[in-house]
Amino acid sequence: MLVLITYDVNTESEGGKKRLRKVAKQCVNYGHRVQNSVFECMLDTTQLRQLRGILEGIIDVEKDSLRYYLLGKNYKDKVIHVGVKESLNLDAPLIL
Amino acid sequence: MLVLITYDVNTESEGGKKRLRKVAKQCVNYGHRVQNSVFECMLDTTQLRQLRGILEGIIDVEKDSLRYYLLGKNYKDKVIHVGVKESLNLDAPLIL
């Protein structure tokens, strides 16, 4: 099934920047980055449980936010993309 | 239906920062911010078409990215949240 993972990690501290890098690094192992903090991962239930365990072991639940959206197997017509592909310069600071 | 909207706006220019503010401002009119660049909106097809027209009129398709995920009517068990609610300090610069 397609699982969308979005996250906000509070990077006001060095620890936060480290958590952010770790979360992204783990998500890359399981899926495809489509935006700065948005990954699309094809996972079965075991893999989802595994990845959740890893990510939720990294974040600080008091400061960070993780969201999983389960889009199922028939997701092709549920996803619309407009604009530039994820080849954005992801290292550049993105002020939100 | 629940529509998830995620976006990356390139803010390396003043124009980009303005586009980002405009996108967020429009999304707030149609839905609920759950993370910095992630909104959940309950929309019918007409509203979705309307909002798409507005957002796609704001972004620069060469620099920015907009994604819509259509989660349908039965979305409750498709969304998992872990961590802090969206009461994050959204004004603080988020270095990604």
Side-chain angles (χ1 to χ4, degrees), chain B residues 40-51:
Chain B
E40 291 181 3
C41 306
M42 287 306 296
L43 306 171
D44 59 32
T45 39
T46 310
Q47 290 167 321
L48 175 57
R49 206 176 308 123
Q50 221 172 28
L51 180 54

Side-chain angles (χ1 to χ4, degrees), chain A residues 50-68:
Chain A
Q50 221 173 30
L51 181 54
R52 283 197 61 184
I54 293 168
L55 297 181
E56 290 156 44
I58 294 171
I59 64 160
D60 177 336
V61 292
E62 305 293 325
K63 295 178 181 167
D64 309 331
S65 164
L66 256 175
R67 297 181 80 84
Y68 307 88

Side-chain angles (χ1 to χ4, degrees), chain A residues 80-91:
Chain A
I80 304 166
H81 174 264
V82 177
V84 70
K85 280 291 175 195
E86 63 283 2
S87 55
L88 270 174
N89 173 356
L90 298 184
D91 302 320

Side-chain angles (χ1 to χ4, degrees), chain B residues 1-24:
Chain B
M1 72 186 149
L2 175 65
V3 177
L4 182 76
I5 300 176
T6 72
Y7 54 84
D8 263 357
V9 174
N10 186 309
T11 54
E12 288 171 11
S13 67
E14 277 311 309
K17 287 175 190 147
K18 208 168 151 197
R19 292 195 308 274
L20 180 66
R21 282 193 300 270
K22 279 183 161 178
V23 166

Side-chain angles (χ1 to χ4, degrees), chain A residues 4-6 65-69, chain B residues 34-35 40 79-81:
Chain A
L4 184 75
I5 300 176
T6 71
S65 164
L66 256 175
R67 297 181 80 84
Y68 307 88
Y69 294 91
Chain B
V34 292
Q35 284 174 350
E40 291 181 3
V79 184
I80 304 165
H81 174 263

Side-chain angles (χ1 to χ4, degrees), chain A residues 73-84:
Chain A
K73 292 194 178 83
N74 308 314
Y75 54 87
K76 291 248 164 53
D77 54 2
K78 294 180 185 169
V79 184
I80 304 166
H81 174 264
V82 177
V84 70

